[in-house]
Amino acid sequence: MSETFLDKAYAVQGADAVRKLYDDWAAGYDADLDETGYATPRRVAAVLRAEMADPAAPVLDFGCGTGLSGAALAAAGFTTIDGVDVSDGMLDQARAKALYRNVDLIGEADSLTDRAGCYAGIVAIGVIGPGGAPADVIERLWAILPSGGRFAVSFNDHTLRDPAFVARLEACVANGAGRILVREHGDHLRGRGIGATVFVLAKS
Ligand SMILES: C[S@@+](CC[C@H](N)C(=O)[O-])C[C@H]1O[C@@H](n2cnc3c(N)ncnc32)[C@H](O)[C@@H]1O
């Protein structure tokens, strides 16, 4: 049996290979994830909505891909969503959905400091971990979040096996710099029996 994109996604290494995998997968990504019961976008959007008073406040969907995460944010009530991603192929699909205020291609090492303070909420849904964006993205996103902002992130079971990812989240909120408001484990890809923990952090 040939290896599926989903199989490859957990093993791919290096920024160029990650970008190529998602460029190649873009056209079939939504159907594959739908078939596998991708639960995380809806879970993240629901807990973020519960922790953000104003659904019109701008939200950054980091690693937005084809826009499944943006669609979940919109369904939860958010109305001002920007998407960024390293894969132009995935962004083409996101653009076609017309869900986002802006959709931009970024480099994998982009600090996004030009967007500092612009977003009341930042999400990274199914993005950070082995086969995806590296752990230092956590500090980069936390750095551009304004005081009072919310950072919502999911780590799937593969990512949770490496305690360094959660440790980096905990370091962000150390010494009163913020608080972890939500930490919930649940379904990620139901069809594969893979879970994910969803976190919402508040910046002091
Ligand atoms: C599994 S998809 C998730 C897409 C979307 N958030 C969703 O929930 O469907 C992972 C996405 O992260 C993007 N990505 C990987 N590394 C990245 C990085 N360093 N910076 C930004 N996006 C990245 C990939 O191109 C891909 O679109």
Side-chain angles (χ1 to χ4, degrees):
M1 201 174 109
S2 67
E3 199 182 27
T4 64
F5 281 114
L6 207 45
D7 296 323
K8 290 182 194 163
Y10 290 119
V12 66
Q13 286 183 4
D16 289 345
V18 169
R19 190 181 314 104
K20 180 171 178 355
L21 174 96
Y22 282 102
D23 279 344
D24 292 347
W25 192 2
Y29 177 90
D30 286 8
D32 287 353
L33 274 279
D34 188 46
E35 194 183 300
T36 322
Y38 185 32
T40 304
R42 216 167 311 135
R43 291 181 54 217
V44 174
V47 291
L48 182 65
R49 180 65 195 91
E51 298 296 344
M52 269 180 68
D54 179 8
V59 174
L60 177 66
D61 184 5
F62 179 85
C64 65
T66 62
L68 291 183
S69 38
L73 290 166
F78 293 104
T79 56
T80 314
I81 312 164
D82 288 344
V84 294
D85 201 286
V86 294
S87 161
D88 218 13
M90 296 290 272
L91 290 178
D92 280 343
Q93 304 290 323
R95 287 186 193 102
K97 294 195 174 89
L99 286 161
Y100 293 94
R101 178 178 66 173
N102 295 300
V103 173
D104 294 306
L105 183 67
I106 58 165
E108 67 272 359
D110 199 324
S111 65
L112 299 174
T113 47
D114 54 327
R115 297 172 190 246
C118 292
Y119 298 104
I122 299 178
V123 302
I125 303 177
V127 178
I128 300 170
D136 70 355
V137 160
I138 294 166
E139 288 88 8
R140 278 190 254 156
L141 296 178
W142 185 252
I144 65 165
L145 192 68
S147 174
R150 303 285 189 260
F151 176 39
V153 60
S154 69
F155 292 154
N156 67 30
D157 288 339
H158 295 85
T159 306
L160 292 168
R161 264 179 225 129
D162 179 350
F165 288 91
V166 173
R168 290 178 98 125
L169 278 188
E170 289 170 343
C172 288
V173 298
N175 304 316
R179 281 185 307 136
I180 296 181
L181 304 175
V182 176
R183 184 182 194 137
E184 282 176 11
H185 195 264
D187 287 338
H188 177 57
L189 294 174
R190 284 194 200 96
R192 292 206 169 199
I194 300 173
T197 297
V198 165
F199 298 84
V200 180
L201 280 61
K203 193 162 179 177
S204 299

